[in-house]
Amino acid sequence: DDKLLSEPLSHPDFFNVKELFSLKDLFDARVHLGHKKGCRHRFMEPYIFGCRLDQDIIDLDQTMQHLQLALNFTAHIAYRKGIILFISRKRQFCHLVETMAQECGEYAHTRYWQGGLLTNAHIQLGSGVRLPDLLIFLSSLNNVFEPHVAIRDAAKMNIPTVGVVDTNCNPCLITYPIPGNDDSPTAMELYCKLFRMAIIRAKDKRRRSEVFDDLQ
Amino acid sequence: RLIYTPTAVQRKNVGASGPEKYTEAFIKKQIEEFNLGKRHLANMMGEDPETFTQEDIDRAIAYLFPSGLFDKQARPMMKHPTEIFPEQRKIQWGEDGRPFHFLFYTGKQSYYSLMHETYEKVLNVQKYQDQLTAQDLTSQKEKRNLAGSRWLTKIELEEMLLEKLSDNDYLRFIQLLQKLVTLPCGDIEEKYIQKFSKEIPAQLQKVVIEPLKYDERGVAFSTGEGTRKTARATAVVYDNGTGKITVNGIDMLHYFPVLQDREQLLFPFQFLDRVGKHDMVCTVSGGGRSAQAGAIRLASAKALRSFVTEKEAEFMRQAGLLTVDPRTKERKKPGQEGARRKFTWKKR
């Protein structure tokens, strides 16, 4: 059992997430498109490649690295049977995110966030709840263009976060930020596909390792 | 993952956790105990355990544990656990702590999953519509009867979902359903929509005018009932008569010495110009002189409806002959001498 959990940690890319995407895929899904220069957040400047006709372009090389780290981390969490919660407050993609979470066997929250959900969970959700072990933000702003409350709450409750940060977002409190576009449908579908494949791969591997151990 | 909580907070706040949640195992155990107890009770009462119904149980308990308490719910009772423990949400997560429902962390899982499903139906309908337009086929539009049905009320929806809803949530859901219905190809999801709509029974109850009955001599007659204050009257109006009216076996002239009461009795006949054409036999009880007259008037008017055309019946209704007079004696209030009369006001 110990070997089962410690073995993946020795490899840098145990689940081989690098092969799930390529730079061309990101470019075709328009992940590099940011918002206008006026919307730029100060802390996103390191991730921005440049500005063309007032529109910010995100550096896809950095995005590749961050995405690889984030997918690897998600896969490890899924391998260790952690609870993953997908959050997105974009009304366009609410249905997409919920269906994706259902297919993975994980959880989603694309609705109005009630204040004490994480911090007051024992009263609001029932005593003895198990909180999520990872929050994945597919858009880290809420409908009023402010940082989502869950980022701050997860930091308070020591829950690691993975988040897609656009040029107008604050990447500070997110443990694994992924600089990228969160407004295009193609980009969102790409992220959903990647996360789903990573989680399913990790779960399959875990099941196979358990069966292998049981046989021995 | 260490979460620091000060010791003061760790003390259980009993009231804050809400009503007690019952696990499935607990309810199952209660059901087994109930069935076992039922058999013991049957043996105690000397009856057959196999055919021991709930009424027998109630009687047995009332016999063994007699109680003089006024509130029936406070007396000892032995009912099936599903009736005693309110239907609630059992614990929402499994052994390893993972919740069963994928929207558990939203707080309102049933409501949001309902919205999710309904939105999926809307998307399906839109896709189907697009397919039809791509093949240049026009859909058959069958008008759904909007007047004959209503949506579920908020309380009914809450009962269905076992969750509290806010007014805004309910409104949003109804708006989504209406959007689904108004889409051209909404008929595909008819079955889904029927889960949330209810038939309104026809509200207008047309008053049925009874047909004429014939007695042994071949004379047509009809009956009517009337009330006024505390008086109850039944009247039988016969055709081909001479205008004779009998009340409780006594002639009208003797029973009602006052002219005003006799006028009230004759008013329906006068209105229809049938003063000397009908005989009437009535029985009346309760009330006073005037009330009995009014009750017989209403009863005779109702009886005459069968003899008369619809137009004349409508005239009768508009004249107020067919309306029950709702006025009754107003109660006396404390601090006053009568219903309205106050005690004499003394300046000092």
Side-chain angles (χ1 to χ4, degrees):
Chain A
D1 192 42
D2 239 357
K3 215 189 107 196
L4 204 71
L5 294 176
S6 57
E7 203 211 315
L9 298 174
S10 44
H11 303 250
D13 194 3
F14 186 66
F15 302 98
N16 204 1
V17 290
K18 282 206 186 94
E19 64 171 28
L20 288 175
F21 63 95
S22 69
L23 204 115
K24 188 161 189 316
D25 289 336
L26 294 184
F27 184 82
D28 288 333
R30 302 174 224 162
V31 163
H32 59 288
L33 301 172
H35 288 275
K36 291 281 189 182
K37 194 164 71 177
C39 296
R40 195 192 298 167
H41 193 98
R42 200 188 136 157
F43 296 138
M44 287 301 287
E45 278 159 21
Y47 302 120
I48 292 174
F49 182 70
C51 187
R52 181 185 162 84
L53 294 172
D54 255 14
Q55 188 180 10
D56 287 331
I57 308 293
I58 299 167
D59 189 357
L60 283 181
D61 294 318
Q62 291 188 51
T63 306
M64 287 267 283
Q65 291 167 8
H66 283 94
L67 191 55
Q68 192 257 312
L69 288 172
L71 285 174
N72 187 33
F73 185 69
T74 329
H76 278 274
I77 296 265
Y79 183 85
R80 299 167 88 99
K81 296 196 178 163
I83 295 180
I84 302 180
L85 184 61
F86 288 92
I87 301 180
S88 162
R89 206 54 183 101
K90 287 247 149 75
R91 238 178 102 99
Q92 277 175 297
F93 310 118
C94 151
H95 188 81
L96 176 68
V97 171
E98 285 184 343
T99 26
M100 186 261 288
Q102 211 169 12
E103 281 162 20
C104 295
E106 298 296 341
Y107 308 87
H109 185 113
T110 55
R111 310 286 177 166
Y112 179 74
W113 180 271
Q114 283 170 321
L117 255 182
L118 290 180
T119 41
N120 205 14
H122 286 275
I123 298 174
Q124 288 199 3
L125 299 172
S127 57
V129 213
R130 188 178 145 185
L131 288 180
D133 300 306
L134 173 65
L135 298 192
I136 303 186
F137 288 89
L138 288 157
S139 106
S140 74
L141 297 181
N142 59 18
N143 287 345
V144 218
F145 300 108
E146 278 169 16
H148 203 291
V149 175
I151 304 176
R152 190 201 65 190
D153 281 353
K156 281 190 186 175
M157 304 299 284
N158 285 357
I159 303 173
T161 1
V162 162
V164 173
V165 278
D166 206 348
T167 45
N168 54 355
C169 308
N170 187 352
C172 284
L173 285 176
I174 304 173
T175 18
Y176 289 90
I178 306 170
N181 189 9
D182 60 5
D183 299 298
S184 309
T186 39
M188 287 301 267
E189 278 168 17
L190 177 76
Y191 297 135
C192 286
K193 191 183 86 171
L194 292 175
F195 280 116
R196 183 175 48 228
M197 289 194 347
I199 292 172
I200 290 175
R201 247 193 213 187
K203 285 187 171 171
D204 276 340
K205 215 153 197 176
R206 174 63 186 246
R207 237 176 288 138
R208 262 182 275 142
S209 314
E210 279 183 340
V211 165
F212 196 59
D213 269 3
D214 281 341
L215 285 174
Q216 280 183 338
Chain B
R1 191 166 76 230
L2 292 168
I3 302 167
Y4 171 65
T5 41
T7 39
V9 177
Q10 276 163 5
R11 220 186 312 124
K12 261 194 199 169
N13 190 351
V14 180
S17 56
E20 213 184 294
K21 297 250 169 70
Y22 305 111
T23 47
E24 263 195 67
F26 174 78
I27 301 265
K28 232 189 253 178
K29 206 174 74 139
Q30 294 293 314
I31 294 176
E32 278 167 25
E33 282 182 11
F34 171 78
N35 285 327
L36 210 59
K38 199 165 92 167
R39 296 185 75 89
H40 279 305
L41 191 63
N43 283 328
M44 266 194 266
M45 300 300 285
E47 306 219 16
D48 183 19
E50 303 299 325
T51 56
F52 206 56
T53 57
Q54 185 61 42
E55 287 120 28
D56 295 327
I57 297 178
D58 292 332
R59 251 183 286 129
I61 297 289
Y63 172 72
L64 292 169
F65 303 100
S67 154
L69 296 171
F70 290 135
D71 193 353
K72 305 276 181 199
Q73 299 235 332
R75 297 184 182 177
M77 67 165 126
M78 183 166 155
K79 289 202 163 58
H80 194 80
T82 43
E83 290 168 44
I84 297 185
F85 297 107
E87 204 199 306
Q88 284 178 345
R89 311 270 287 288
K90 297 120 193 166
I91 302 281
Q92 306 286 333
W93 52 87
E95 287 271 323
D96 55 351
R98 292 191 76 120
F100 298 128
H101 201 276
F102 77 108
L103 289 175
F104 170 76
Y105 287 105
T106 53
K108 307 179 212 174
Q109 62 178 52
S110 351
Y111 169 69
Y112 285 132
S113 77
L114 188 70
M115 292 292 277
H116 178 79
E117 272 174 31
T118 319
Y119 189 68
E120 206 173 306
K121 303 284 178 206
V122 171
L123 287 179
N124 277 343
V125 169
Q126 283 173 344
K127 211 166 69 172
Y128 181 71
Q129 218 175 312
D130 291 337
Q131 278 174 1
L132 284 186
T133 42
Q135 297 166 6
D136 281 328
L137 290 166
T138 48
S139 60
Q140 312 100 327
K141 205 169 178 183
E142 289 158 23
K143 275 264 175 182
R144 220 177 140 263
N145 184 14
L146 297 156
S149 59
R150 62 166 176 91
W151 298 118
L152 287 184
T153 55
K154 186 173 158 225
I155 303 170
E156 284 167 358
L157 196 61
E158 277 185 1
E159 273 172 45
M160 203 170 110
L161 299 176
L162 294 174
E163 232 176 33
K164 287 265 178 277
L165 290 178
S166 81
D167 289 330
N168 276 331
D169 291 341
Y170 173 69
L171 263 175
R172 285 279 189 194
F173 178 60
I174 298 295
Q175 281 169 357
L176 197 58
L177 279 177
Q178 275 167 350
K179 179 175 174 178
L180 182 57
V181 164
T182 46
L183 285 174
C185 306
D187 303 324
I188 316 165
E189 308 297 344
E190 194 58 46
K191 240 168 90 176
Y192 186 75
I193 299 170
Q194 268 167 16
K195 272 195 256 175
F196 304 105
S197 61
K198 272 202 171 159
E199 295 278 320
I200 318 175
Q203 277 166 359
L204 286 171
Q205 272 175 347
K206 226 191 160 168
V207 183
V208 178
I209 305 177
E210 282 176 19
L212 291 169
K213 284 172 269 188
Y214 293 87
D215 69 358
E216 322 93 32
R217 279 177 299 148
V219 180
F221 73 96
S222 86
T223 32
E225 284 178 359
T227 51
R228 173 84 215 274
K229 276 196 200 171
T230 344
R232 307 277 175 263
T234 40
V236 187
V237 176
Y238 293 93
D239 210 356
N240 301 339
T242 50
K244 207 168 66 150
I245 304 181
T246 316
V247 187
N248 280 356
I250 307 169
D251 188 40
M252 172 181 71
L253 283 167
H254 298 295
Y255 197 85
F256 290 119
V258 181
L259 176 67
Q260 179 196 329
D261 302 334
R262 291 199 294 268
E263 269 182 353
Q264 288 287 298
L265 286 205
L266 284 172
F267 180 34
F269 301 100
Q270 219 174 3
F271 185 81
L272 298 167
D273 288 326
R274 290 164 181 246
V275 182
K277 295 183 194 156
H278 291 286
D279 263 347
M280 190 159 74
V281 176
C282 14
T283 46
V284 65
S285 64
R289 175 202 87 196
S290 207
Q292 286 187 341
I296 301 173
R297 181 183 111 172
L298 179 61
S300 59
K302 281 194 184 164
L304 278 173
R305 250 194 326 199
S306 323
F307 288 95
V308 127
T309 55
E310 265 189 43
K311 233 184 177 178
E312 289 196 299
E314 179 61 22
F315 288 148
M316 279 222 284
R317 186 190 72 88
Q318 285 182 353
L321 276 167
L322 299 174
T323 331
V324 178
D325 200 333
R327 298 177 290 177
T328 51
K329 189 163 173 166
E330 198 175 313
R331 74 161 266 205
K332 174 197 173 312
K333 284 108 192 170
Q336 294 175 351
E337 198 171 317
R340 299 284 172 106
R341 162 112 170 99
K342 321 280 187 280
F343 290 125
T344 317
W345 178 67
K346 299 201 179 75
K347 201 163 182 177
R348 49 186 71 85

